[in-house]
Amino acid sequence: AAAKFAVSGSSHPSWRGGRFKTGGYWYYWLPALSGRARELADAMPRRGWKGHYVIGEHRLVMALHLDHPLTRHDIVHHRNGDKLDNRIENLELTTQGEHRKLDVKYYKLWQEALAKIAELESELVRFKSDN
């Protein structure tokens, strides 16, 4: 059986300031936030996770940048596709419809890049066998 700790929050040995990763995204536990970050998080849609309210770091970063809470219709897109990269320069506020177009666009570019890599690898093999 897994060990249980009698402590929680900042006293827990795995405490990381209320920030944790799940489902490919960084999240914050709401009670760990303070100041403007907490004000914005409290005004935004949030989700329950294991009995606690949490907010996606990417959504909080965008709300802090814009200095207003996001609505449930606001979608934060990760430009480079890395959902853990929450630098503001990697984030773009969009709508659900626009986000689908962005996902399709970047998926197509990714597929084209994979095809080019395969082509170059094949060319490299031919080059090595000729020399």
Side-chain angles (χ1 to χ4, degrees):
K4 290 199 173 203
F5 291 97
V7 295
S8 63
S10 60
S11 301
H12 193 281
S14 297
W15 180 251
R16 292 183 184 92
R19 182 180 188 234
F20 63 97
K21 186 173 26 171
T22 186
Y25 291 91
W26 283 112
Y27 286 90
Y28 278 100
W29 183 51
L30 260 60
L33 299 173
S34 62
R36 186 66 175 146
R38 179 62 189 259
E39 289 173 23
L40 289 169
D42 281 342
M44 291 167 47
R46 53 197 180 261
R47 58 184 282 213
W49 185 80
K50 296 189 177 184
H52 301 285
Y53 282 120
V54 299
I55 189 160
E57 183 181 62
H58 58 295
R59 294 183 59 77
L60 185 57
V61 167
M62 182 59 73
L64 285 165
H65 175 72
L66 298 172
D67 196 34
H68 67 76
L70 303 183
T71 71
R72 65 183 185 90
H73 300 290
D74 293 322
I75 306 297
V76 179
H77 175 70
H78 291 83
R79 289 181 173 142
N80 69 4
D82 181 357
K83 297 175 188 175
L84 300 175
D85 181 355
N86 293 317
R87 296 170 299 126
I88 192 62
E89 57 268 18
N90 186 45
L91 301 176
E92 178 179 348
L93 189 63
T94 186
T95 63
Q96 188 69 38
E98 286 301 311
H99 191 242
R100 277 193 213 101
K101 291 177 191 173
L102 288 169
D103 281 347
V104 168
K105 172 185 168 187
Y106 288 116
Y107 180 78
K108 182 180 177 199
L109 290 172
W110 175 57
Q111 292 299 311
E112 289 170 359
L114 289 177
K116 186 65 175 177
I117 289 168
E119 177 187 326
L120 291 170
E121 285 174 339
S122 175
E123 192 174 315
L124 182 60
V125 168
R126 280 194 310 272
F127 178 76
K128 285 181 177 180
S129 67
D130 289 344
N131 292 327

